Amino acid sequence: RDARGYLRSTDRIKDMYIMGGLNCYPAEIEKLMYDSGLFTQVAVIGVPDERMGEVGMAFVVPGPEQGQALTPESVIAWCREHMANYKVPRRVAIVDELPTNATGKVLKYVLRERAAASA
């Protein structure tokens, strides 16, 4: 809280990313994807993009009934059908589990490191 009584965010500032001038909120995108029933876990981060500034990258854990049928292309196709174009993740990584801390919160900085290493 500052001297005027305003609260200032000091952590998770980087959760929102700006794609081509539009604000993208990972929590909103994650909820849309999670509610589909296709995934048991979803995490979305912003990754650098030469043309758009930043774009979304989704890390997803497939639901038990999805098995090997889920591909990055099929995830992107589902997103294109169910959300605005600027919210659609441009990259998708299918993983067995997401990194979490002791309380179960996803460690997005670890995901950012993984994304940077795979770029």
Side-chain angles (χ1 to χ4, degrees):
R1 207 175 272 265
D2 67 12
R4 296 179 294 169
Y6 292 103
L7 294 175
R8 186 173 49 127
S9 179
T10 58
D11 192 21
R12 298 214 170 241
I13 291 172
K14 193 63 181 139
D15 271 359
M16 182 197 77
Y17 60 92
I18 300 173
M19 181 180 149
L22 298 168
N23 293 350
C24 298
Y25 297 94
E28 177 185 353
I29 299 165
E30 291 164 359
K31 181 172 177 2
L32 288 168
M33 293 175 73
Y34 182 77
D35 287 349
S36 72
L38 299 173
F39 317 104
T40 56
Q41 288 184 298
V42 178
V44 176
I45 60 169
V47 294
D49 182 76
E50 190 174 303
R51 187 172 71 88
M52 300 301 286
E54 285 184 297
V55 295
M57 179 171 183
F59 291 82
V60 299
V61 178
E65 60 279 346
Q66 297 307 311
Q68 300 297 324
L70 203 62
T71 64
E73 295 79 18
S74 68
V75 173
I76 292 171
W78 183 91
C79 290
R80 286 196 189 284
E81 291 179 22
H82 294 91
M83 59 183 77
N85 186 49
Y86 74 94
K87 294 179 185 178
V88 174
R90 299 312 193 251
R91 293 174 52 194
V92 174
I94 298 173
V95 296
D96 293 328
E97 64 183 4
L98 296 176
T100 58
N101 64 16
T103 62
K105 193 172 199 176
V106 175
L107 300 173
K108 290 198 174 183
Y109 73 90
V110 173
L111 297 179
R112 284 188 195 93
E113 291 169 1
R114 286 185 191 174
S118 70

